[in-house]
Amino acid sequence: MRGWRIKFIFLLIVYFAGFATAIYCLAPVPENQAGEPTEESFAFSAIKTDEFVQSFNSGMHKCIDFSKNAACSAAKYIKQKLEEKQLRTDG
């Protein structure tokens, strides 16, 4: 019973990660007019991309951990409430 919730949350995370990646890849990049590396150059862009990837990766792991913990605690809470309700109806 618990497995489908985790799969659903995981699929949502993957879906939104793909959507964010598509937006990031399709965003227009200013062209380099000078031969020297500037903020608009490819080398600078690659450095920023690496920083973005690391930041996004750590944020995604935090989100997954939080989602799993929230789903597990919600499942425990619901199970506890169902047991209380069954005890009331039986007793």
Side-chain angles (χ1 to χ4, degrees):
M1 186 74 175
R2 196 177 97 193
W4 71 269
R5 293 181 192 128
I6 293 174
K7 289 179 185 177
F8 180 71
I9 290 172
F10 178 75
L11 286 175
L12 282 176
I13 291 170
V14 169
Y15 175 79
F16 287 113
F19 188 74
T21 303
I23 290 174
Y24 180 75
C25 289
L26 295 175
V29 177
E31 294 185 25
N32 187 11
Q33 286 93 15
E36 302 173 8
T38 60
E39 288 189 2
E40 293 85 19
S41 71
F42 179 76
F44 185 78
S45 174
I47 292 171
K48 286 292 186 182
T49 303
D50 291 341
E51 291 173 6
F52 173 77
V53 168
Q54 290 174 353
S55 159
F56 188 80
N57 191 20
S58 67
M60 189 59 69
H61 283 291
K62 287 179 186 177
C63 182
I64 290 171
D65 291 339
F66 177 77
S67 305
K68 285 182 182 178
N69 290 338
C72 290
S73 62
K76 287 178 186 176
Y77 178 76
I78 291 170
K79 186 177 180 180
Q80 178 187 9
K81 290 298 178 183
L82 285 174
E83 288 174 355
E84 288 175 6
K85 187 174 182 179
Q86 286 178 353
L87 288 175
R88 286 186 207 148
T89 57
D90 291 342

